Amino acid sequence: MPTEHWPLPGLRVRAPRVELRLPTEPELFELADRAAHGVVVPGTRPFRSDWAHGTPAERARAVLRAHWRSQADWTPEDWSLPLAVFLDGHPIGVQSIRAKDFAVRRETLSGSWLTLPHHGRGLGTEARAAMLHLVFTGLRAEDATSASFTDNAASIAVSRKLGYRPDGLERENRHGEPATTQRFRLTRADWAATTRPDVTLDGVAPCAELFGLPPDGDG
């Protein structure tokens, strides 16, 4: 349960079908077990890291380590928030945001994955829309950024649907081979102009200092 010393477990983001929040330990192990059964379509490589292409045990352990590391390494100047995506009370993936010097830059970078049975149902779009509500309404960011390899059509489609604009290209080493990444940026003004699902937030104010924001909600 959240405490005054570490209130992040009390943060809730609720959309019509999905809820984003930190998982409990039993829920985290359930999420890891689901990830062990696969998160990417065979033959595709949508992520910079190769964690999704290991053995089932390696995928599960990667999920556990990423969650624990984000909590252990958290500072207001450099944080990563891997919120589990819940559908009907069960975790089916992760929608994360991270930022450096957020109090000054007011910019976040997102990432996400869903287990294979939940691809192609619009759940990833809804989860990212929910996350954007947290970013712009809850954390009062000015910009949200994302990046996708240019052959990751699904992720690019989500970004475009939610109002992001192209923000440049990068050449990267993708598992030993060259690949091009398309960066995307969504400004506060563009986000405000988009049609989006109803989203509710709970537990943001107690977390303000952890995100580098004033505790009184100003700034």
Side-chain angles (χ1 to χ4, degrees):
M1 296 297 293
T3 71
E4 61 179 314
H5 306 299
W6 198 252
L8 286 173
L11 181 62
R12 298 284 192 277
V13 187
R14 296 183 177 92
R17 289 186 295 172
V18 301
E19 179 183 30
L20 310 183
R21 60 177 172 82
L22 289 180
T24 64
E25 284 291 287
E27 290 168 340
L28 176 62
F29 280 97
E30 180 183 354
L31 179 62
D33 185 62
R34 287 171 177 251
H37 290 85
V39 299
V40 297
V41 176
T44 66
R45 289 188 173 272
F47 306 136
R48 289 184 175 91
S49 168
D50 62 359
W51 75 272
H53 302 279
T55 66
E58 288 170 340
R59 287 196 293 271
R61 290 167 186 157
V63 171
L64 298 174
R65 287 197 302 269
H67 175 84
W68 291 328
R69 183 169 55 246
S70 72
Q71 303 296 284
D73 292 346
W74 187 293
T75 68
E77 296 76 30
D78 188 353
W79 50 261
S80 176
L81 181 64
L83 297 174
V85 180
F86 286 83
L87 177 69
D88 299 326
H90 294 280
I92 61 168
V94 168
Q95 176 67 64
S96 67
I97 51 172
R98 59 184 184 270
K100 291 186 178 181
D101 299 319
F102 181 73
V104 176
R105 298 174 64 218
R106 295 299 175 96
E107 177 179 293
T108 64
L109 174 66
S110 68
S112 64
W113 59 266
L114 294 177
T115 53
L116 276 174
H118 298 94
H119 288 200
R121 299 169 55 184
L123 297 169
T125 301
E126 185 171 313
R128 179 122 58 111
M131 177 274 295
L132 289 172
H133 190 82
L134 170 64
V135 166
F136 287 112
T137 298
L139 303 182
R140 305 182 299 285
E142 293 299 326
D143 292 88
T145 66
S146 184
S148 306
F149 287 116
T150 52
D151 58 5
N152 189 350
S155 178
I156 289 174
V158 170
S159 295
R160 293 189 182 280
K161 183 176 182 178
L162 293 175
Y164 289 76
R165 299 177 187 266
D167 192 39
L169 300 172
E170 294 182 32
R171 291 286 282 174
E172 296 196 38
N173 179 343
R174 179 169 61 174
H175 314 156
E177 297 181 354
T180 302
T181 293
Q182 172 69 67
R183 299 194 307 270
F184 289 95
R185 179 175 298 274
L186 180 64
T187 66
R188 170 177 288 277
D190 284 342
W191 172 78
T194 61
T195 300
R196 51 191 184 275
D198 291 332
V199 178
T200 60
L201 302 175
D202 289 300
V204 177
C207 302
E209 289 183 280
L210 292 178
F211 290 108
L213 299 173
D216 60 2
D218 295 329

